[in-house]
Amino acid sequence: MTTQGASLFQPVRRSRVSTDIVRQIQDLIAAEHLQPGDRLPGERELADALSVSRQSVREALRVLDYLGVVVVRPGEGTFVATTPPSPVDASLYSLLSERSFLLDLLEARRILEEGIVHLAARRATRDDLDTLETALAARETALAAGKHDVAGDLTFHTQLAELTGNPVLASAMRHFGEMWLRSREKTGRRPTSPHKALQFHRQILQAVRRRQPVAARRVLRRHLDDMRADIEG
Amino acid sequence: MTTQGASLFQPVRRSRVSTDIVRQIQDLIAAEHLQPGDRLPGERELADALSVSRQSVREALRVLDYLGVVVVRPGEGTFVATTPPSPVDASLYSLLSERSFLLDLLEARRILEEGIVHLAARRATRDDLDTLETALAARETALAAGKHDVAGDLTFHTQLAELTGNPVLASAMRHFGEMWLRSREKTGRRPTSPHKALQFHRQILQAVRRRQPVAARRVLRRHLDDMRADIEG
DNA sequence: TCGGACTGCTGGTCTGACCAGTAATCCACA
DNA sequence: TGTGGATTACTGGTCAGACCAGCAGTCCGA
């Protein structure tokens, strides 16, 4: 028996019940048996159906909650999250549900996005701008028709980051955006008026198109300040 | 009651016990009261110390387990993970070994850190500054003695981010720092002269201490520009 | 028609219990 | 003397049952 190298035997893996449940629910969502917004069975019912205790179910739901896979609303139930899950810095997880976190996040966004919009105004290609223009127009017509999706407003910001051509900035903006959505979901905050947001987006795009980095940055700042005012109420 | 605009009231947010526990333990680890490899008190003991039920403790540990913050070994106990979780955006992973990535990263750092240093100069408490001062002095004497660790230069930047009091900024800076180290490792780039770096750090700290946000930002920019010159060289 | 009480659901928490695995100790037997 | 097997006290894993507070639909009376 050597101490080095691959052992012939694998350690017996006693899986934890809660881990199995996490995987089962994730599979159900992946297979689209559970759609975003769907309500899961109650904890008691789930425990019964799985022949496990409610405690194990709760441990699983706690993990799925952290992962952003589900949203738990006391008194109502547990629902499949509408915003797709993505990793959020572990050290920030427990802060997501606090309003002050939204303000911290906004401060960080302001720093990052001021730089982004400045670069975008200098670097965006004509193709980039046309793409952004098309997307913005589509959102405007959709809104006029009464349709509006919450996550969509953020898309403009991430698209803006994309066209700096800097993948690090784009990645950071996506992360901030995801945290933004999840935190807003957890804090139960209503989104800002989509009309106002679209107006700001339109102005930013104009400034970027005209290659006016300073003006673009100014409008961006007004946009985020406006959002902050909403949060601070 | 209008449907548009900011509501006067915010939904009351009752935090979950397990969430509090998650944060407490993370804080203890961040404050280094708990070191990697340390054994946490048993679940029962923990519950008793926190005046909560074992179930709540378990839900918290389950989350920390999933985050990779702790490792749970049945029959033995729960331990602080030795390798702290350090997620690097999957979409960036393949770029780490390219030199252009270092430049992109540096551009992103410049945007972020200019904002950070500006805030730090306005917000840092005297205690914060003393801590930073001590750390810097220690590095200076170590360098004079011929000792120098590569990752250490970054520490100054992350510490600076910490004392903005904004956990989002601190987290983002840590991420950028990790990518920086890993990318520099992969590209095989030699670090900038530690002497130069320390001089810049000393200047930045002075500006922050004197509450001169603009000056601090200017030095920071020179520091990063200097690093860029090294990379492009 | 409207508003409040009622009722049954939900998740949040606590308690106490038992199981299985670890590890250190102790003791009997070779 | 030394080795190996019980003992024992811990650990996390799981279960069951209970109570609370908040949500929502129902029903009834003013």
Side-chain angles (χ1 to χ4, degrees):
Chain A
M1 190 72 154
T2 59
T3 54
Q4 283 289 350
S7 151
L8 281 172
F9 301 98
Q10 295 304 316
V12 176
R13 196 184 208 73
R14 287 169 303 280
S15 68
R16 203 152 27 194
V17 173
S18 63
T19 306
D20 281 354
I21 303 176
V22 167
R23 193 174 39 74
Q24 276 203 46
I25 294 179
Q26 279 182 320
D27 286 349
L28 285 176
I29 294 173
E32 298 187 357
H33 285 113
L34 285 174
Q35 306 274 345
D38 279 1
R39 186 176 173 288
L40 269 65
E43 295 181 354
R44 293 162 181 82
E45 194 179 341
L46 216 42
D48 202 51
L50 295 163
S51 296
V52 299
S53 72
R54 198 180 151 209
Q55 159 138 347
S56 297
V57 170
R58 280 186 60 79
E59 290 180 16
L61 291 180
R62 199 84 311 102
V63 170
L64 290 169
D65 180 28
Y66 148 73
L67 292 175
V69 174
V70 302
V71 175
V72 180
R73 284 197 282 271
E76 296 179 56
T78 304
F79 303 83
V80 178
T82 51
T83 54
S86 75
V88 164
D89 185 336
S91 66
L92 300 181
Y93 165 69
S94 55
L95 302 176
L96 282 178
S97 55
E98 295 179 16
R99 191 171 67 143
S100 66
F101 178 80
L102 277 175
L103 293 174
D104 285 336
L105 183 50
L106 204 52
E107 181 174 84
R109 280 186 60 182
R110 178 169 162 160
I111 288 173
L112 187 74
E113 294 195 52
E114 280 191 20
I116 284 175
V117 82
H118 188 90
L119 284 179
R122 283 163 41 198
R123 291 188 190 159
T125 67
R126 195 139 302 279
D127 279 354
D128 287 338
L129 291 169
D130 289 344
T131 305
L132 200 52
E133 173 70 47
T134 307
L136 188 55
R139 290 190 55 72
E140 284 169 340
T141 60
L143 185 60
K147 279 180 272 184
H148 179 68
D149 79 300
V150 186
D153 281 332
L154 249 177
T155 310
F156 180 82
H157 295 257
T158 51
Q159 284 177 327
L160 213 49
E162 299 282 353
L163 50 75
T164 61
N166 183 331
V168 179
L169 288 173
S171 160
M173 186 59 226
R174 279 198 303 276
H175 269 90
F176 283 3
E178 279 152 13
M179 284 194 286
W180 180 257
L181 288 177
R182 281 172 66 171
S183 181
R184 217 175 43 181
E185 199 165 350
K186 278 186 184 265
T187 53
R189 294 211 53 81
R190 291 296 87 213
T192 315
S193 152
H195 298 88
K196 254 198 304 186
L198 276 183
Q199 282 173 16
F200 279 120
H201 294 177
R202 173 59 63 188
Q203 289 180 50
I204 292 171
L205 179 55
Q206 278 178 1
V208 170
R209 192 183 275 288
R210 290 175 187 156
R211 309 293 182 189
Q212 299 173 329
V214 178
R217 189 198 301 233
R218 190 172 52 237
V219 181
L220 185 277
R221 191 178 309 167
R222 284 219 318 276
H223 181 21
L224 294 192
D225 281 347
D226 186 59
M227 289 165 71
R228 188 179 59 190
D230 271 356
I231 294 172
E232 288 175 336
Chain B
M1 192 71 156
T2 59
T3 53
Q4 282 290 351
S7 151
L8 282 172
F9 300 99
Q10 295 304 317
V12 177
R13 213 65 204 173
R14 285 168 304 281
S15 69
R16 209 161 11 205
V17 172
S18 62
T19 306
D20 281 353
I21 302 175
V22 167
R23 180 164 40 220
Q24 277 203 46
I25 295 179
Q26 279 182 323
D27 286 348
L28 285 176
I29 294 173
E32 298 183 357
H33 285 113
L34 285 174
Q35 306 274 345
D38 279 1
R39 186 176 172 288
L40 269 63
E43 295 181 355
R44 294 162 179 82
E45 194 179 340
L46 215 42
D48 201 52
L50 295 164
S51 295
V52 297
S53 73
R54 196 179 153 210
Q55 157 137 349
S56 296
V57 170
R58 279 186 60 79
E59 290 181 16
L61 291 180
R62 197 68 37 252
V63 169
L64 289 169
D65 182 24
Y66 239 84
L67 294 175
V69 174
V70 302
V71 175
V72 179
R73 286 199 281 270
E76 298 181 55
T78 304
F79 304 82
V80 178
T82 49
T83 52
S86 65
V88 164
D89 188 335
S91 67
L92 299 180
Y93 193 83
S94 59
L95 302 175
L96 285 177
S97 55
E98 296 177 18
R99 193 175 64 149
S100 67
F101 179 80
L102 275 177
L103 294 174
D104 284 336
L105 183 50
L106 204 52
E107 181 173 85
R109 278 187 61 181
R110 178 168 161 162
I111 288 173
L112 187 74
E113 294 195 52
E114 281 192 20
I116 284 175
V117 82
H118 188 90
L119 283 179
R122 282 163 41 197
R123 292 190 188 156
T125 67
R126 195 138 302 279
D127 279 353
D128 287 338
L129 292 169
D130 290 343
T131 305
L132 200 53
E133 173 71 47
T134 306
L136 187 56
R139 290 190 58 70
E140 283 168 342
T141 58
L143 184 61
K147 280 180 267 182
H148 180 66
D149 80 302
V150 186
D153 280 334
L154 250 176
T155 309
F156 180 81
H157 295 257
T158 51
Q159 284 176 327
L160 213 49
E162 299 281 355
L163 51 77
T164 62
N166 183 330
V168 179
L169 289 173
S171 161
M173 187 59 226
R174 281 197 302 273
H175 270 90
F176 283 2
E178 275 161 19
M179 285 194 287
W180 180 258
L181 288 177
R182 287 167 68 166
S183 181
R184 215 175 46 181
E185 200 168 342
K186 278 184 181 271
T187 54
R189 294 211 59 80
R190 290 296 86 211
T192 314
S193 150
H195 296 87
K196 253 200 302 186
L198 276 183
Q199 280 172 18
F200 279 120
H201 292 177
R202 173 59 64 188
Q203 289 179 50
I204 292 171
L205 179 55
Q206 277 177 2
V208 169
R209 192 182 275 288
R210 290 174 189 158
R211 309 294 182 189
Q212 299 173 328
V214 178
R217 190 197 301 233
R218 189 171 54 239
V219 181
L220 185 278
R221 190 179 309 167
R222 284 220 318 275
H223 181 22
L224 295 193
D225 280 348
D226 186 60
M227 290 165 71
R228 187 178 61 190
D230 272 358
I231 296 173
E232 287 175 335

Short mmCIF file of all heavy atoms in Angstrom, two decimals, chain A residues 99 187-193 196 227-233, chain B residues 1-12:
data_model
loop_
_atom_site.label_atom_id
_atom_site.label_comp_id
_atom_site.label_asym_id
_atom_site.label_seq_id
_atom_site.Cartn_x
_atom_site.Cartn_y
_atom_site.Cartn_z
N ARG A 99 -31.14 47.62 2.78
CA ARG A 99 -31.29 48.76 1.89
C ARG A 99 -29.98 49.52 1.76
O ARG A 99 -29.66 50.07 0.71
CB ARG A 99 -32.39 49.69 2.39
CG ARG A 99 -32.76 50.73 1.35
CD ARG A 99 -33.98 51.50 1.75
NE ARG A 99 -33.73 52.31 2.93
CZ ARG A 99 -34.26 53.51 3.11
NH1 ARG A 99 -35.08 54.02 2.21
NH2 ARG A 99 -34.01 54.20 4.19
N THR A 187 -34.85 43.10 -1.10
CA THR A 187 -35.32 44.21 -0.28
C THR A 187 -36.74 44.58 -0.64
O THR A 187 -37.37 45.38 0.04
CB THR A 187 -34.42 45.45 -0.46
OG1 THR A 187 -34.32 45.74 -1.85
CG2 THR A 187 -33.04 45.20 0.09
N GLY A 188 -37.23 44.01 -1.73
CA GLY A 188 -38.60 44.27 -2.12
C GLY A 188 -38.82 45.67 -2.66
O GLY A 188 -39.92 46.21 -2.59
N ARG A 189 -37.79 46.26 -3.21
CA ARG A 189 -37.93 47.62 -3.72
C ARG A 189 -38.55 47.61 -5.11
O ARG A 189 -38.24 46.78 -5.95
CB ARG A 189 -36.57 48.29 -3.79
CG ARG A 189 -35.96 48.51 -2.43
CD ARG A 189 -35.10 49.75 -2.42
NE ARG A 189 -35.79 50.91 -2.91
CZ ARG A 189 -36.62 51.65 -2.18
NH1 ARG A 189 -36.86 51.34 -0.95
NH2 ARG A 189 -37.21 52.70 -2.71
N ARG A 190 -39.41 48.57 -5.30
CA ARG A 190 -40.00 48.73 -6.63
C ARG A 190 -38.98 49.40 -7.53
O ARG A 190 -38.23 50.26 -7.09
CB ARG A 190 -41.25 49.61 -6.56
CG ARG A 190 -42.43 48.98 -5.85
CD ARG A 190 -42.94 47.77 -6.58
NE ARG A 190 -42.22 46.56 -6.17
CZ ARG A 190 -41.96 45.54 -6.99
NH1 ARG A 190 -42.35 45.56 -8.22
NH2 ARG A 190 -41.32 44.48 -6.56
N PRO A 191 -38.95 49.02 -8.78
CA PRO A 191 -38.02 49.67 -9.71
C PRO A 191 -38.40 51.12 -9.95
O PRO A 191 -39.55 51.51 -9.79
CB PRO A 191 -38.18 48.85 -10.99
CG PRO A 191 -39.51 48.20 -10.87
CD PRO A 191 -39.73 47.97 -9.41
N THR A 192 -37.41 51.88 -10.33
CA THR A 192 -37.65 53.26 -10.71
C THR A 192 -38.55 53.29 -11.94
O THR A 192 -38.67 52.31 -12.65
CB THR A 192 -36.31 53.94 -11.05
OG1 THR A 192 -35.37 53.59 -10.05
CG2 THR A 192 -36.46 55.44 -11.11
N SER A 193 -39.15 54.42 -12.16
CA SER A 193 -40.00 54.57 -13.34
C SER A 193 -39.22 54.23 -14.60
O SER A 193 -38.16 54.80 -14.88
CB SER A 193 -40.48 56.02 -13.44
OG SER A 193 -40.72 56.36 -14.78
N LYS A 196 -38.58 57.27 -16.93
CA LYS A 196 -37.46 58.13 -16.57
C LYS A 196 -36.14 57.49 -17.00
O LYS A 196 -35.28 58.15 -17.59
CB LYS A 196 -37.46 58.37 -15.05
CG LYS A 196 -37.90 59.76 -14.64
CD LYS A 196 -37.48 60.09 -13.22
CE LYS A 196 -37.97 59.11 -12.19
NZ LYS A 196 -37.66 59.54 -10.81
N MET A 227 -31.70 57.58 -9.14
CA MET A 227 -32.02 56.28 -8.56
C MET A 227 -31.75 56.30 -7.06
O MET A 227 -32.51 55.72 -6.28
CB MET A 227 -31.17 55.19 -9.22
CG MET A 227 -31.59 54.92 -10.66
SD MET A 227 -30.37 53.97 -11.57
CE MET A 227 -30.54 52.38 -10.81
N ARG A 228 -30.70 56.97 -6.68
CA ARG A 228 -30.40 57.02 -5.25
C ARG A 228 -31.49 57.73 -4.49
O ARG A 228 -31.91 57.32 -3.41
CB ARG A 228 -29.05 57.71 -5.01
CG ARG A 228 -28.62 57.62 -3.56
CD ARG A 228 -27.29 58.29 -3.31
NE ARG A 228 -27.34 59.69 -3.67
CZ ARG A 228 -26.28 60.48 -3.74
NH1 ARG A 228 -25.09 59.98 -3.53
NH2 ARG A 228 -26.40 61.74 -4.06
N ALA A 229 -31.98 58.81 -5.08
CA ALA A 229 -33.06 59.56 -4.44
C ALA A 229 -34.28 58.66 -4.24
O ALA A 229 -34.95 58.72 -3.21
CB ALA A 229 -33.42 60.77 -5.29
N ASP A 230 -34.54 57.83 -5.22
CA ASP A 230 -35.66 56.88 -5.10
C ASP A 230 -35.46 55.94 -3.93
O ASP A 230 -36.38 55.67 -3.15
CB ASP A 230 -35.80 56.05 -6.39
CG ASP A 230 -36.71 56.74 -7.39
OD1 ASP A 230 -37.26 57.81 -7.03
OD2 ASP A 230 -36.88 56.22 -8.50
N ILE A 231 -34.24 55.44 -3.80
CA ILE A 231 -33.98 54.48 -2.74
C ILE A 231 -34.04 55.13 -1.37
O ILE A 231 -34.62 54.59 -0.43
CB ILE A 231 -32.59 53.84 -2.93
CG1 ILE A 231 -32.57 53.00 -4.20
CG2 ILE A 231 -32.22 52.97 -1.73
CD1 ILE A 231 -31.21 52.48 -4.56
N GLU A 232 -33.45 56.31 -1.31
CA GLU A 232 -33.44 57.00 -0.02
C GLU A 232 -34.84 57.46 0.35
O GLU A 232 -35.14 57.68 1.53
CB GLU A 232 -32.48 58.18 -0.05
CG GLU A 232 -31.03 57.73 -0.05
CD GLU A 232 -30.07 58.88 -0.20
OE1 GLU A 232 -30.50 59.92 -0.76
OE2 GLU A 232 -28.92 58.74 0.23
N GLY A 233 -35.72 57.56 -0.66
CA GLY A 233 -37.12 57.91 -0.41
C GLY A 233 -37.26 59.25 0.28
O GLY A 233 -37.87 59.32 1.32
N MET B 1 -52.83 57.42 -3.07
CA MET B 1 -51.59 56.64 -3.29
C MET B 1 -51.31 56.52 -4.78
O MET B 1 -52.08 55.96 -5.54
CB MET B 1 -51.77 55.24 -2.68
CG MET B 1 -50.49 54.45 -2.59
SD MET B 1 -49.36 55.06 -1.35
CE MET B 1 -48.42 53.55 -1.05
N THR B 2 -50.20 57.07 -5.20
CA THR B 2 -49.84 56.97 -6.61
C THR B 2 -49.10 55.67 -6.86
O THR B 2 -48.50 55.09 -5.96
CB THR B 2 -48.93 58.14 -7.02
OG1 THR B 2 -47.75 58.10 -6.22
CG2 THR B 2 -49.61 59.45 -6.84
N THR B 3 -49.21 55.23 -8.08
CA THR B 3 -48.48 54.01 -8.41
C THR B 3 -47.07 54.33 -8.88
O THR B 3 -46.19 53.49 -8.84
CB THR B 3 -49.19 53.24 -9.53
OG1 THR B 3 -49.39 54.12 -10.63
CG2 THR B 3 -50.52 52.72 -9.05
N GLN B 4 -46.89 55.56 -9.31
CA GLN B 4 -45.56 55.96 -9.75
C GLN B 4 -44.79 56.61 -8.62
O GLN B 4 -45.36 56.98 -7.59
CB GLN B 4 -45.68 56.97 -10.91
CG GLN B 4 -46.00 56.34 -12.25
CD GLN B 4 -44.83 55.54 -12.79
OE1 GLN B 4 -43.73 55.61 -12.25
NE2 GLN B 4 -45.06 54.76 -13.84
N GLY B 5 -43.50 56.74 -8.85
CA GLY B 5 -42.68 57.51 -7.92
C GLY B 5 -42.32 56.74 -6.68
O GLY B 5 -42.74 55.61 -6.45
N ALA B 6 -41.51 57.38 -5.83
CA ALA B 6 -41.02 56.73 -4.64
C ALA B 6 -42.09 56.67 -3.57
O ALA B 6 -42.80 57.63 -3.32
CB ALA B 6 -39.80 57.49 -4.11
N SER B 7 -42.20 55.49 -2.96
CA SER B 7 -43.14 55.36 -1.86
C SER B 7 -42.55 56.00 -0.62
O SER B 7 -41.34 56.08 -0.43
CB SER B 7 -43.40 53.87 -1.63
OG SER B 7 -43.71 53.62 -0.29
N LEU B 8 -43.42 56.46 0.26
CA LEU B 8 -42.93 57.11 1.47
C LEU B 8 -42.34 56.08 2.43
O LEU B 8 -41.42 56.36 3.18
CB LEU B 8 -44.07 57.87 2.17
CG LEU B 8 -44.42 59.22 1.55
CD1 LEU B 8 -45.67 59.78 2.18
CD2 LEU B 8 -43.25 60.17 1.74
N PHE B 9 -42.92 54.89 2.39
CA PHE B 9 -42.53 53.90 3.38
C PHE B 9 -41.76 52.74 2.77
O PHE B 9 -41.97 52.39 1.62
CB PHE B 9 -43.77 53.38 4.10
CG PHE B 9 -44.53 54.47 4.81
CD1 PHE B 9 -45.65 55.04 4.22
CD2 PHE B 9 -44.10 54.94 6.04
CE1 PHE B 9 -46.35 56.05 4.87
CE2 PHE B 9 -44.79 55.95 6.68
CZ PHE B 9 -45.91 56.51 6.10
N GLN B 10 -40.92 52.19 3.58
CA GLN B 10 -40.16 51.02 3.16
C GLN B 10 -40.70 49.80 3.88
O GLN B 10 -41.10 49.89 5.03
CB GLN B 10 -38.68 51.20 3.48
CG GLN B 10 -38.05 52.32 2.70
CD GLN B 10 -38.23 52.14 1.20
OE1 GLN B 10 -38.08 51.04 0.69
NE2 GLN B 10 -38.61 53.20 0.52
N PRO B 11 -40.73 48.67 3.18
CA PRO B 11 -41.16 47.47 3.87
C PRO B 11 -40.23 47.15 5.03
O PRO B 11 -39.01 47.22 4.87
CB PRO B 11 -41.09 46.38 2.80
CG PRO B 11 -40.15 46.93 1.77
CD PRO B 11 -40.30 48.42 1.82
N VAL B 12 -40.79 46.83 6.16
CA VAL B 12 -39.98 46.47 7.31
C VAL B 12 -39.27 45.17 6.99
O VAL B 12 -39.89 44.23 6.50
CB VAL B 12 -40.84 46.31 8.57
CG1 VAL B 12 -39.99 45.85 9.73
CG2 VAL B 12 -41.54 47.60 8.89
#
